[in-house]
Amino acid sequence: MSDSSFAARAAALDAADRLAGARKLFVLDDTVYLDGNSLGALPAHVPARVQEVLTREWGELRIRSWDESGWWTAPERIGDRIAPLVGAAAGQIVVSDSTSVNVFKAVVAATRLAPEGRDEILVDATTFPTDGYIAASAARMTGHRLVPVAPADVPGALGPRTAAVLLNHVDYRTGRLHDLPGLTAATHAAGAIAVWDLCHSAGALPVGLDAHAVDLAVGCTYKYLNGGPGSPAYLYVAERHQAVFDSPLPGWTSHADPFGMTAAYAPADGAVRGRVGTPDILSMLALEASLEVWDGVSVEDVRAKSLALTDFFLECVAAYVPQGRVDSVTPAAHAERGSQVALRCAEAEPVMAELIARGVVGDLRRPDVLRFGFTPLYVGFADVERAARVLAEVLDGVPAAA
């Protein structure tokens, strides 16, 4: 198929796109931005909201804003905004701290929720490094043994000593979507607690935390949720566990009477137990404003477009790029694919640098992976066609590795 045929298909797909109108809600330029799985684009209305927070809520109201502007309740209020995007009922998500801190809370709390006598923590062997580092530290602190295992091998590794299992919903490097329903059910059948990291799935595909009886989950908000650099993460605590959820980081804002300033700690009810210290209000309220782009948007529509975008990209790459120069490490099966495509390329580093110079922004995962993330709210099919075409042009100018 000719370049013009792919371009014509892209135009037709964009014309029929139910989510095409969302693109205008973001600050974008002529760049093809395929790195929203690292940092989402800026929603256009957020600067004005942040300016209001700075000038009126902080500048004029000052301390009064904890009550009058709703600062104090922001972690739970924003958690309830995120909840529908991950398939959770209200009252189970608190926005707080970083993903890393929430992983620590969740893993240690999971060992405390698990039945007595269990001393093993299973961790995704292919996980984002920090999850592994923190799981290892949590294991040392709690006297558990850490067992790294590939997600597909978890059912065979589970046993009567398993206390908790920490897994990534989508592999950050390859884009492989793991079987959250099946692995959660297997974990429960073994009597253990399931903890999921949703950083590369929330906002890109349905998660179904409640439907699949997930115990605990964490995630960031600066990728597909577009909350901004360093925006606070979130912690999901299933309602059935909240009364006994025992955080390893009990802070004053998770106290039942935070302003009582008592020496003894008494945990608050509900997901509030996941809080620790004073909320980071500026980034939190920027996140809250960013989530307005989801008003009226169906996660199922987002998933359908995500799969269509990644399918089209792989098709364009196969047509445009000389055979043998790249190889997809992202599963072809829809049930196993997140919202990114990772291409193995021997010349990945210079190729990605040149792609970015030509206005196609993905990212590099050393030593040899070109990673492209597709955010359905603002990426279109013409972007996809252009990205594949420019990739072919770049590879044509970069000598193949010997």
Side-chain angles (χ1 to χ4, degrees):
M1 186 177 289
S2 67
D3 291 12
S4 60
S5 297
F6 277 108
R9 279 183 58 196
L13 288 165
D14 281 331
D17 178 15
R18 296 174 61 177
L19 296 176
R23 186 182 179 102
K24 68 179 183 296
L25 302 177
F26 294 87
V27 176
L28 298 165
D29 51 26
D30 291 336
T31 298
V32 176
Y33 189 63
L34 301 181
D35 208 6
N37 53 332
S38 289
L39 176 64
L42 171 68
H45 65 281
V46 169
R49 171 59 179 140
V50 172
Q51 184 64 32
E52 179 186 27
V53 173
L54 289 171
T55 57
R56 180 176 179 275
E57 296 184 8
W58 182 14
E60 297 176 16
L61 296 179
R62 294 179 287 275
I63 196 70
R64 293 163 53 194
S65 275
W66 286 106
D67 290 324
E68 295 180 29
S69 301
W71 288 1
W72 185 258
T73 57
E76 296 76 51
R77 184 177 70 245
I78 303 171
D80 285 346
R81 274 305 279 275
I82 292 171
L85 302 179
V86 293
Q92 299 177 98
I93 293 179
V94 63
V95 175
S96 172
D97 308 305
S98 67
T99 307
S100 302
V101 172
N102 285 323
V103 168
F104 177 76
K105 295 177 199 172
V107 171
V108 175
T111 67
R112 295 173 176 177
L113 287 170
E116 291 289 333
R118 292 173 177 255
D119 61 356
E120 290 183 350
I121 299 171
L122 270 57
V123 64
D124 184 345
T126 61
T127 189
F128 187 77
T130 292
D131 285 21
Y133 304 156
I134 289 175
S137 178
R140 291 194 303 274
M141 292 176 63
T142 59
H144 286 64
R145 185 170 76 96
L146 192 71
V147 183
V149 58
D153 296 333
V154 164
L158 290 162
R161 296 178 61 182
T162 308
V165 181
L166 171 63
L167 297 170
N168 282 259
H169 196 190
V170 173
D171 186 286
Y172 80 101
R173 182 183 294 271
T174 67
R176 177 178 290 276
L177 173 64
H178 296 304
D179 180 12
L180 182 148
L183 292 172
T184 300
T187 298
H188 289 165
I193 301 296
V195 182
W196 285 91
D197 183 329
L198 310 179
C199 284
H200 287 271
S201 59
L205 52 91
V207 176
L209 292 178
D210 287 353
H212 303 304
V214 168
D215 299 296
L216 303 168
V218 302
C220 67
T221 61
Y222 50 79
K223 300 181 189 294
Y224 296 111
L225 298 183
N226 311 296
S231 56
Y234 56 90
L235 171 67
Y236 164 88
V237 181
E239 184 177 13
R240 66 186 180 279
H241 292 311
Q242 289 177 1
V244 290
F245 177 79
D246 186 3
S247 173
L249 296 173
W252 77 283
T253 70
S254 64
H255 197 287
D257 183 14
F259 294 97
M261 302 298 170
T262 58
Y265 179 73
D269 293 331
V272 176
R273 290 187 178 204
R275 291 174 64 153
V276 183
T278 305
D280 44 352
I281 290 299
L282 297 182
S283 58
M284 191 166 290
L285 296 186
L287 164 63
E288 183 174 34
S290 296
L291 291 170
E292 292 175 17
V293 301
W294 290 94
D295 290 349
V297 173
S298 159
V299 177
E300 287 71 25
D301 285 347
V302 168
R303 176 59 169 166
K305 183 178 176 183
S306 164
L307 291 171
L309 288 168
T310 49
D311 279 345
F312 189 54
F313 181 67
L314 288 167
E315 188 178 350
C316 289
V317 167
Y320 290 169
V321 174
Q323 191 170 6
R325 295 301 299 275
V326 299
D327 178 43
S328 176
V329 296
T330 300
H334 285 181
E336 299 174 5
R337 187 195 311 164
S339 197
Q340 71 181 56
V341 172
L343 302 176
R344 181 164 285 122
C345 174
E347 310 80 23
E349 192 162 356
V351 167
M352 183 54 71
E354 184 60 22
L355 280 171
I356 293 172
R358 297 193 188 196
V360 176
V361 178
D363 69 6
L364 172 72
R365 284 292 176 261
R366 293 199 304 263
D368 61 355
V369 171
L370 302 169
R371 195 177 71 156
F372 303 95
F374 297 82
T375 305
L377 293 185
Y378 54 77
V379 172
F381 292 90
D383 296 323
V384 168
E385 189 276 334
R386 177 182 161 195
R389 179 163 34 85
V390 174
L391 173 61
E393 294 169 0
V394 169
L395 285 167
D396 188 55
V398 174

